[in-house]
Amino acid sequence: MPGRTPRKSTDSASAQLADFKVGVDNVIFSVDTAQNRLLVLLVMRHEDPFVGQWSLPGTLVRQGESLEDAAYRVLSEKIRVENLYLEQLYTFGGPNRDPREATHSFGIRYLTVSYFALVRLAEAELIADGVSGIAWYPLKQVPPLAFDHNQILEYGYRRLRNKLEYSPVAFEVLPELFTLSDLYQLYTTILGEFSDYSNFRSRLLKLGFLHDTGVKVSRGAGRPASLYRFDAEAFAPYKDKPMVFI
Amino acid sequence: MPGRTPRKSTDSASAQLADFKVGVDNVIFSVDTAQNRLLVLLVMRHEDPFVGQWSLPGTLVRQGESLEDAAYRVLSEKIRVENLYLEQLYTFGGPNRDPREATHSFGIRYLTVSYFALVRLAEAELIADGVSGIAWYPLKQVPPLAFDHNQILEYGYRRLRNKLEYSPVAFEVLPELFTLSDLYQLYTTILGEFSDYSNFRSRLLKLGFLHDTGVKVSRGAGRPASLYRFDAEAFAPYKDKPMVFI
DNA sequence: GGCAATTTTGGTTACTCTTACTATAATTGA
DNA sequence: TCAATTATAGTAAGAGTAACCAAAATTGCC
């Protein structure tokens, strides 16, 4: 398209195109039902930019590798996990978001595609190799992170709050068996106070996708609670419907 | 981190990293209230891969340019528009999604960050420069597109349907002044039958963010309808609340 | 063992919202 | 002027919600 680009440059566009390295960074959440805390997985950096600082687990994308493959690869390098929920979050690609852009060769940009993941704490075994620091951090205690990772984390947390309201992601982070109180605590710690416990119970139970196993557990004082299990099949009718789990 | 990469390769990671060109592609929706059709903006390709085929308006990202800037740049090259809603949609970056990866130099990958935009038809003047084909296509009549753009479009359409249910994006595509029937038609053409018109009216009106201008318009037979205006301030209380506009 | 505190569970009641439907008003076209 | 059409208004039954309350089953302490 000759003669119409509104910028300070020639029309042979390739002259001014940016070259990119592409990374993926994972925001991996879990919950500690015992202590009732939302956790996020962080890793210590051992390489050049931001050495010694905590960061989201990420990697650069390799030749022939899809973005999602790369996301799974980092994950599998850090934790051994049975089930996990993974979805793409947001892409950060502005100039100057990575210090390597300035130091390295000429004009390379660093773009990152962030992914959002949920895992069950009990099923996620951290891979400690002696060298790399890796830890579940309570969200409230997350330190300043490398790169723009605090921003990415904030983005992931927003996504978590949204998804919690109208999709059954709660059951991706809760243990396989959980009490209704666990479920309620999860909602309140993430969304804040939002409903009476008693009403929450009856609403959820009426929907019919929580099955009472009959097993009772006692945690400290009080009447023992029933352990429930999420029934994905029974949930199916609500899939893709605009339903709100307040 | 020496000695732990589970792949067929050396540890000096940079050897196997992919190099990327990054593009943005816009899924731009509007509605024709007269004919009651959902429209998407397509452009004819004049360059090498997929010459002569329709595609989403897109471009490659330039040096120093942010992703969003690039999205706005394409947009402003194609249409002159007063207001517009723009948000990032999804990033497609798998290998082999662009034929140039095979033909061009060694190992370059093409990644695209897609954006989702809504504009008012009356306020969007298409920029015809004699050369480039550009057109509003009714969604149902979209032909096979270049690259994986049909997939991106499908993704954008899904986003539109979702957003329509719990956010006031309808007022981004409707004209400034609209009748309640316009609004209802928009919802039904995009979401399908979902509610009685009478109930839809009273529900929306009770929420209090639609202001009756008092002006009446007559379109063919039937009683003239009032023109309404969306009041963003009055809507504010519902912002970020899990409210469904079914 | 008994009692208080605690937590789960199962309600009740008033109120709001939704749904399905009916009726009336104001226009156009024949 | 009348029929068709579209907008607007309202109503009644039923479903769902919110704010409570009470009983049941445990722990911990005396």
Side-chain angles (χ1 to χ4, degrees), chain A residues 9-195:
Chain A
S9 57
T10 80
D11 273 343
S12 91
S14 65
Q16 46 186 344
L17 293 185
D19 282 300
F20 286 84
K21 297 289 185 192
V22 171
V24 296
D25 287 304
N26 293 338
V27 181
I28 308 170
F29 286 117
S30 195
V31 282
D32 176 0
T33 47
Q35 301 212 51
N36 208 42
R37 297 186 302 185
L38 180 62
L39 304 174
V40 60
L41 191 69
L42 298 181
V43 299
M44 174 63 75
R45 281 190 63 82
H46 295 104
E47 292 177 15
D48 191 1
F50 301 99
V51 197
Q53 244 178 298
W54 290 97
S55 70
L56 298 175
T59 189
L60 290 171
V61 176
R62 298 177 179 172
Q63 292 179 23
E65 187 180 48
S66 77
L67 301 176
E68 202 169 286
D69 284 349
Y72 277 116
R73 176 166 56 82
V74 207
L75 240 148
S76 69
E77 284 170 9
K78 302 302 177 189
I79 57 181
R80 240 181 296 280
V81 66
E82 295 177 27
N83 298 311
L84 104 149
Y85 178 88
L86 184 79
E87 71 173 32
Q88 192 182 295
L89 184 56
Y90 199 80
T91 297
F92 299 82
N96 309 121
R97 54 170 298 281
D98 190 311
R100 284 171 292 187
E101 293 181 14
T103 61
H104 263 222
S105 48
F106 46 93
I108 286 279
R109 292 259 296 270
Y110 284 82
L111 173 148
T112 194
V113 181
S114 57
Y115 279 79
F116 170 85
L118 301 175
V119 301
R120 298 201 178 92
L121 196 58
E123 297 177 4
E125 181 194 350
L126 298 191
I127 296 175
D129 58 0
V131 188
S132 61
I134 173 170
W136 287 110
Y137 262 80
L139 190 69
K140 317 222 167 204
Q141 297 167 30
V142 167
L145 303 176
F147 305 104
D148 49 2
H149 285 191
N150 284 289
Q151 188 191 348
I152 299 178
L153 174 56
E154 177 57 40
Y155 213 93
Y157 182 46
R158 194 153 57 224
R159 176 83 123 242
L160 176 62
R161 291 197 305 265
N162 283 337
K163 290 199 83 73
L164 210 54
E165 286 173 355
Y166 50 83
S167 82
V169 287
F171 311 108
E172 303 285 341
V173 280
L174 283 178
E176 196 74 28
L177 299 177
F178 52 89
T179 69
L180 290 180
S181 189
D182 289 338
L183 184 60
Y184 181 70
Q185 301 293 346
L186 172 61
Y187 272 80
T188 51
T189 55
I190 297 182
L191 298 179
E193 283 291 333
F194 64 97
S195 165

Side-chain angles (χ1 to χ4, degrees), chain A residues 1-13:
Chain A
M1 323 168 207
R4 201 167 41 70
T5 54
R7 290 274 176 124
K8 31 104 213 201
S9 57
T10 80
D11 273 343
S12 91

Side-chain angles (χ1 to χ4, degrees), chain B:
Chain B
M1 322 170 204
R4 204 165 40 70
T5 53
R7 288 278 176 124
K8 30 102 211 198
S9 56
T10 82
D11 274 343
S12 89
S14 65
Q16 46 186 345
L17 293 185
D19 282 300
F20 285 84
K21 296 291 184 190
V22 172
V24 296
D25 287 304
N26 293 338
V27 181
I28 309 170
F29 287 117
S30 195
V31 281
D32 177 359
T33 48
Q35 301 212 51
N36 208 43
R37 295 186 304 184
L38 178 63
L39 303 175
V40 60
L41 191 69
L42 298 181
V43 299
M44 174 63 74
R45 281 190 64 82
H46 294 105
E47 293 175 15
D48 192 4
F50 300 99
V51 197
Q53 245 179 296
W54 291 97
S55 70
L56 298 175
T59 188
L60 289 171
V61 177
R62 297 177 180 172
Q63 292 179 22
E65 187 179 48
S66 77
L67 301 175
E68 202 170 287
D69 284 350
Y72 276 115
R73 176 166 56 81
V74 206
L75 240 148
S76 68
E77 284 171 8
K78 302 302 179 188
I79 57 181
R80 241 182 294 280
V81 65
E82 295 176 27
N83 299 311
L84 104 150
Y85 177 89
L86 183 80
E87 71 173 33
Q88 192 182 295
L89 183 57
Y90 198 80
T91 296
F92 299 82
N96 309 122
R97 54 169 298 281
D98 191 311
R100 283 171 291 187
E101 292 181 13
T103 60
H104 263 222
S105 48
F106 46 90
I108 286 279
R109 292 260 295 269
Y110 283 82
L111 173 148
T112 194
V113 182
S114 57
Y115 279 80
F116 170 86
L118 300 175
V119 300
R120 296 201 178 91
L121 197 58
E123 296 177 4
E125 181 195 349
L126 298 191
I127 296 176
D129 58 0
V131 189
S132 62
I134 173 170
W136 288 110
Y137 261 80
L139 189 68
K140 316 220 168 204
Q141 297 166 31
V142 166
L145 303 177
F147 305 104
D148 49 1
H149 285 191
N150 284 291
Q151 189 191 348
I152 299 178
L153 174 56
E154 178 56 40
Y155 214 92
Y157 182 47
R158 194 153 56 223
R159 176 85 122 238
L160 176 62
R161 290 197 306 264
N162 283 337
K163 290 199 82 75
L164 210 55
E165 286 172 358
Y166 47 75
S167 82
V169 288
F171 311 108
E172 303 285 342
V173 281
L174 283 178
E176 195 74 29
L177 299 176
F178 53 87
T179 69
L180 290 180
S181 189
D182 288 338
L183 184 59
Y184 181 70
Q185 301 293 345
L186 172 61
Y187 272 80
T188 51
T189 57
I190 297 181
L191 298 179
E193 284 293 333
F194 65 99
S195 164
D196 180 87
Y197 175 46
S198 193
N199 292 331
F200 176 80
R201 279 175 53 85
S202 38
R203 205 169 338 119
L204 265 290
L205 288 178
K206 185 153 43 156
L207 292 173
F209 51 74
L210 297 183
H211 285 182
D212 189 342
T213 63
V215 183
K216 307 286 181 184
V217 285
S218 200
R219 299 214 259 264
R223 176 174 174 171
S226 261
L227 286 177
Y228 284 80
R229 164 180 282 119
F230 174 67
D231 180 349
E233 283 190 33
F235 176 79
Y238 302 104
K239 200 99 178 173
D240 300 326
K241 302 243 165 128
M243 92 150 315
V244 176
F245 293 106
I246 32 171

